């Protein structure tokens, strides 16, 4: 679509203020923020409207909608647009747009909405950020969406996992009026909007700009790649890392930004700019690469570097990659003309120790010695405190990573026991706590099932919903203790696999996580029946009893399985200590 006709259609379709900025850089930029008078009016009117507190993902999406990073979108997708995007990577009007941008809400909120109504969108503190003028409310087919967008329904894919497990059941489509931008307090001078970046490029006299997208710390290979790309494209360089949401388990953005700032110092003067992108990635591989290109065009870039497995989630648990390593490059190639931004494709960069330089793997003659350090290998080096070679990364970057990733024996960890009532969890947890205290040097928090229910979760029952809340509370406390270098030993039944996974995710962000399955069979627990609960459960006096009238999902991901028929509590605790020493969490 031409700039002028897009601008006309934007203004014609809008009953309220939508400004559009045309710049020599990038295409037409949508700006959904209204002026002060209208913002005040919206806030006043909103007293009678339903409200929705935006999730972390939705906050990221809203910010890019408001500032025009998602131009030409003017709101969250209607059912028609979503169907077209899923099927053809296009909006219903034919504009190329590969990624669903939807607002998911719960049933209670959906019930209060209909076409023509307004929804106040608020940040987690309740500050109103925007109005959504509702066009439709619909229930999406999330499996079909997963299949079409990500090419799989496997929840091992983080984008699918988010869609299937963390997305509310209703979507609300409609246009947006922005009242205020989401507030950030970190690295504020580095968070340039598309309009600000356009201005910056103009000030610097940059006409050709190649963007580098990343969600990882940057090392020498990345610097070499970006320098080569800038040279090839005869362009200046924008290092444009994602600081919204990335793949679970990634290095946190605070650490990464300090790493990027250290690296920026090593670029030739006047060549590179660093700006932070508040994007929530979906890890959608080729489709996501196309999306990244559209976003970078909005941020006034003329080129985008696309390397190996761009925005891909890697492989599933069987080692099968979700996308081919160069699928993203192929898809972008096919759409270059329509995109209006060029791709600079790159192969994997490898180090040539004999020549002390980096080169793309396809330019390395057969038989040449090469070296590289994978993300997993780097994590291992950080965990063990092993030296990180200077050919791999700049010392200042390594130093930043060490500050937030101390070796494992200085990190906190959580041991989560799971097993049926009466399986022996509490007894082993108590022995483990005592042994850990005997070793000394760390604080230990014991979160036993019964104790937690007495104090932290005293108002909860045993419905699925309540059990989930209970386990997430335990996970929250354990994650806090772990993050601060302590040890949490938890012993609830934790019967559901997905809630255990949530605890694993919460804890792993700040330290180690060990799941221990106390696998005492139901018959044995029932025979022991130390508290007389099984008898009551069989008589129906206690409802929803795990193993009798409520399910127990056996873990398939436990680090350790304890058989209480063949080992005593002391032996079980010793085995766990042995595991913790072997994994580097404790020194022997
Ligand atoms: S859960 O599912 O993880 O939230 O359960 P948890 O917090 O560990 O609580 C389990 C203890 O509560 C007692 N109890 C029950 N267990 C299972 N199902 C039902 N309906 C139930 N009602 C009471 C029981 O004593 C459990 O203690 P343990 O130590 O596991 O035997």
């Amino acid at each position: 679509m031409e700039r002028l006709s897009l601008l006309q259609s934007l203004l014609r379709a809008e009953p309220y203020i939508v400004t559009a900025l045309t710049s020599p850089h990038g295409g037409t930029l949508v700006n959904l923020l209204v002026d002060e008078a209208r913002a005040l009016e919206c806030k006043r009117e909103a007293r009678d409207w339903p409200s929705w507190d935006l999730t972390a993902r939705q906050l990221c999406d809203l910010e890019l909608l408001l500032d025009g990073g998602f131009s030409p979108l003017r709101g969250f997708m209607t059912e028609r647009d979503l169907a077209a995007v899923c099927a053809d990577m296009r909006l219903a009007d034919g504009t190329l747009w590969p990624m669903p941008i939807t607002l998911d809400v719960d049933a209670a909120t959906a019930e209060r909405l209909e076409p023509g109504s307004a929804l106040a969108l608020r940040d987690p503190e309740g500050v109103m950020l925007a109005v959504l003028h509702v066009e439709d409310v619909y229930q999406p087919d999330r499996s079909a969406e997963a299949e079409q967008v990500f090419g799989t329904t496997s929840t091992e894919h983080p984008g699918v996992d988010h869609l299937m497990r963390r997305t509310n059941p209703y979507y609300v489509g409609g246009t947006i009026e922005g009242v205020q931008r989401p507030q950030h307090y970190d690295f504020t001078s580095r968070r340039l909007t598309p309009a600000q970046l356009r201005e910056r490029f103009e000030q610097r006299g940059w006409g050709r700009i190649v963007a580098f997208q990343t969600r990882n710390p940057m090392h020498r290979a990345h610097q070499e790649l970006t320098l080569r790309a800038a040279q090839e494209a005869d362009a200046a360089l924008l290092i444009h890392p994602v600081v919204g949401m990335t793949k679970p388990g990634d290095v946190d953005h605070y650490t990464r930004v300090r790493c990027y700032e250290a690296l920026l110092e090593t670029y030739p003067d006047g060549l590179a700019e660093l700006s932070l992108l508040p994007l929530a990635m979906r890890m959608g591989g080729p489709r996501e690469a196309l999306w990244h290109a559209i976003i970078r065009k909005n941020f006034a870039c003329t080129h985008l570097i696309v390397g190996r497995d761009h925005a891909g989630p890697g492989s599933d648990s069987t080692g099968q990659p979700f996308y081919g390593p160069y699928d993203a490059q192929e898809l972008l190639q096919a759409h270059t003309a329509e995109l209006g931004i060029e791709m600079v494709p790159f192969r994997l960069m490898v180090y040539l120790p004999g020549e002390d330089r980096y080169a793309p793997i396809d330019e390395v003659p057969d038989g040449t010695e090469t070296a590289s350090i994978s993300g997993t290998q780097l994590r291992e080096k950080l965990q063990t405190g092993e030296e990180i070679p200077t050919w791999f990364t700049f010392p200042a970057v390594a130093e930043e990573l060490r500050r937030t990733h101390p070796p494992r024996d200085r990190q906190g960890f959580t041991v989560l026991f799971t097993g049926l009532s009466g399986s022996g969890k509490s007894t082993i947890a108590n022995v483990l706590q005592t042994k850990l205290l005997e070793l000394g040097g760390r604080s230990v928090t014991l979160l036993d099932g019964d104790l937690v229910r007495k104090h932290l979760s005293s108002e909860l029952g045993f419905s699925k919903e309540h059990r989930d809340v209970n386990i997430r509370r335990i996970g929250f406390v354990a994650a806090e203790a772990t993050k601060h270098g302590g040890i949490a030993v938890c012993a609830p039944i934790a019967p559901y696999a997905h809630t255990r996974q949530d605890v694993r995710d919460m804890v792993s962000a700040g330290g180690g996580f060990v799941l221990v399955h106390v696998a005492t069979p139901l018959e044995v627990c029932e025979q022991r029946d130390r508290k007389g609960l099984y008898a009551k459960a069989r008589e129906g006096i206690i409802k929803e009893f795990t193993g009798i009238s409520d399910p127990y999902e056996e873990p398939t991901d436990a680090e350790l399985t304890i058989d209480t028929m063949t080992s005593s509590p002391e032996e079980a605790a010793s085995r766990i200590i042995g595991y913790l020493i072997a994994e580097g969490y404790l020194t022997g």
Side-chain angles (χ1 to χ4, degrees):
M1 197 184 291
E2 279 175 23
R3 278 183 196 174
L4 195 61
S5 59
L6 175 62
L7 177 62
Q8 279 168 343
S9 72
L10 284 171
L11 294 172
R12 205 175 31 240
E14 271 313 308
Y16 44 79
I17 305 166
V18 169
T19 52
L21 180 81
T22 308
S23 145
H25 291 93
T28 304
L29 200 58
V30 170
N31 171 20
L32 300 177
L33 285 160
V34 298
D35 63 21
E36 221 173 297
R38 176 66 185 142
L40 277 173
E41 199 182 341
C42 289
K43 281 188 186 168
R44 244 192 333 267
E45 288 175 18
R47 286 182 206 136
D48 303 324
W49 299 339
S51 275
W52 176 252
D53 291 348
L54 296 159
T55 61
R57 151 90 74 99
Q58 294 167 348
L59 264 175
C60 290
D61 286 354
L62 180 71
E63 182 166 355
L64 285 166
L65 282 167
L66 294 182
D67 289 337
F70 283 171
S71 300
L73 299 193
R74 290 178 296 116
F76 289 102
M77 288 178 182
T78 59
E79 192 166 18
R80 223 173 126 242
D81 275 329
L82 177 65
V85 166
C86 289
D88 304 321
M89 300 199 303
R90 289 179 186 282
L91 301 172
D93 70 3
T95 309
L96 187 64
W97 188 277
M99 198 55 74
I101 306 295
T102 48
L103 183 82
D104 56 298
V105 300
D106 57 19
T109 307
E111 256 171 41
R112 300 180 63 196
L113 300 173
E114 57 185 15
S117 59
L119 177 66
L121 303 181
R122 299 180 186 277
D123 74 7
E125 270 97 57
V127 176
M128 181 169 162
L129 302 179
V131 184
L132 179 69
H133 295 280
V134 179
E135 285 174 32
D136 61 1
V137 183
Y138 56 105
Q139 235 180 329
D141 178 344
R142 285 182 278 177
S143 290
E145 183 181 331
E147 190 62 58
Q148 286 178 298
V149 175
F150 299 111
T152 174
T153 51
S154 163
T155 50
E156 288 184 18
H157 186 300
V160 176
D161 179 64
H162 190 282
L163 185 59
M164 309 294 272
R165 293 184 45 219
R166 293 168 212 278
T167 304
N168 290 294
Y170 291 86
Y171 287 177
V172 191
T175 51
I176 275 172
E177 280 184 284
V179 171
Q180 83 181 58
R181 308 179 61 236
Q183 182 79 50
H184 295 286
Y185 299 101
D186 57 333
F187 307 112
T188 47
S189 63
R190 298 252 184 229
R191 292 177 175 271
L192 300 186
T193 65
Q196 288 168 333
L197 209 48
R198 284 166 189 229
E199 212 179 299
R200 176 71 57 91
F201 293 158
E202 266 166 42
Q203 281 165 358
R204 298 191 76 159
W206 289 0
R208 294 165 69 87
I209 302 112
V210 60
F212 181 63
Q213 138 81 33
T214 183
R215 46 168 257 267
N216 287 310
M218 287 173 72
H219 306 295
R220 284 189 194 263
H222 303 104
Q223 191 199 43
E224 183 65 30
L225 185 153
T226 51
L227 285 171
R228 280 172 179 250
Q231 199 175 22
E232 263 178 44
D234 188 19
L237 172 70
L238 173 68
I239 299 172
H240 208 199
V242 172
V243 295
M245 291 173 78
T246 61
K247 191 176 162 188
D250 280 349
V251 174
D252 69 277
H253 82 266
Y254 299 103
T255 305
R256 284 192 288 118
V257 176
R258 290 195 299 271
C259 289
Y260 304 136
E261 287 183 330
L263 185 83
L264 194 64
E265 301 290 314
T266 67
Y267 278 88
D269 273 354
L271 181 80
E273 181 76 59
L274 168 66
S275 184
L276 312 181
L277 182 69
L279 178 72
M281 289 181 73
R282 274 62 162 169
M283 308 309 300
R287 267 193 190 237
E288 177 133 356
L290 213 55
W291 187 40
H292 287 177
I294 296 169
I295 295 167
R296 271 31 182 252
K297 188 188 169 201
N298 288 328
F299 278 87
C301 298
T302 52
H303 296 73
L304 172 68
I305 298 170
V306 180
R308 194 179 180 280
D309 198 23
H310 186 106
S315 303
D316 65 16
S317 54
T318 67
Q320 182 69 27
F322 284 103
Y323 308 110
Y326 298 106
D327 285 2
Q329 291 184 359
E330 267 177 46
L331 191 72
L332 253 80
Q333 198 64 57
H335 291 86
T336 302
E338 192 176 358
L339 279 169
I341 173 169
E342 273 182 54
M343 167 179 60
V344 183
F346 259 92
R347 296 271 151 175
L348 190 70
M349 298 292 288
V350 289
Y351 180 65
L352 312 182
E355 302 168 44
D356 188 24
R357 70 177 180 97
Y358 279 87
I361 197 151
D362 55 332
E363 288 177 17
V364 178
D366 282 350
T368 312
E369 189 199 349
T370 64
S372 58
I373 294 178
S374 69
T376 313
Q377 287 168 326
L378 176 61
R379 266 192 295 278
E380 276 166 16
K381 285 186 191 300
L382 287 166
Q383 276 163 8
T384 55
E386 204 186 310
E387 195 200 319
I388 300 171
T390 50
W391 64 259
F392 174 72
T393 200
F394 291 91
V397 173
E399 189 48 39
E400 275 305 334
L401 290 173
R402 285 201 192 291
R403 278 176 63 200
T404 39
H405 296 77
R408 268 192 173 169
D409 63 357
R410 280 197 276 128
Q411 282 177 27
F413 62 86
T414 287
V415 178
L416 175 67
F417 288 93
T418 174
L420 295 166
S421 171
S423 58
K425 304 180 297 291
S426 305
T427 316
I428 303 171
N430 271 299
V431 179
L432 178 64
Q433 183 199 28
T434 310
K435 283 189 178 287
L436 289 168
L437 289 171
E438 194 182 318
L439 284 171
R442 302 265 186 98
S443 65
V444 186
T445 302
L446 182 65
L447 295 163
D448 183 45
D450 275 335
L451 269 178
V452 168
R453 287 212 169 249
K454 212 169 271 168
H455 303 290
L456 196 61
S457 292
S458 55
E459 86 287 17
L460 298 180
F462 287 87
S463 65
K464 179 175 185 315
E465 203 189 356
H466 277 194
R467 287 180 197 258
D468 280 351
V469 173
N470 181 42
I471 300 306
R472 290 206 178 96
R473 281 183 191 168
I474 292 173
F476 177 82
V477 177
E480 286 297 306
T482 301
K483 192 169 81 185
H484 296 294
I487 300 172
V489 177
C490 317
I493 295 179
Y496 306 124
H498 74 100
T499 340
R500 292 192 297 255
Q501 182 62 43
D502 285 348
V503 176
R504 185 186 282 277
D505 292 344
M506 277 191 258
V507 172
S508 302
F513 180 82
V514 180
L515 183 69
V516 179
H517 180 203
V518 184
T520 314
L522 178 66
E523 311 77 69
V524 178
C525 297
E526 192 168 0
Q527 208 175 10
R528 288 182 192 160
D529 203 8
R530 282 178 42 217
K531 300 180 190 166
L533 296 175
Y534 280 95
K536 285 190 184 157
R538 286 286 180 203
E539 285 169 33
I541 301 167
I542 301 179
K543 308 264 182 269
E544 299 173 314
F545 197 83
T546 308
I548 307 292
S549 42
D550 208 65
Y552 178 78
E553 297 169 8
E554 299 261 333
T556 53
D557 59 341
E559 274 73 15
L560 289 172
T561 301
I562 305 283
D563 180 353
T564 57
M565 317 282 283
T566 56
S567 56
S568 69
E570 287 90 335
E571 284 164 347
S574 293
R575 213 180 127 209
I576 298 166
I577 298 268
Y579 175 85
L580 292 166
I581 292 171
E583 287 295 309
Y585 290 113
L586 297 174
T587 39

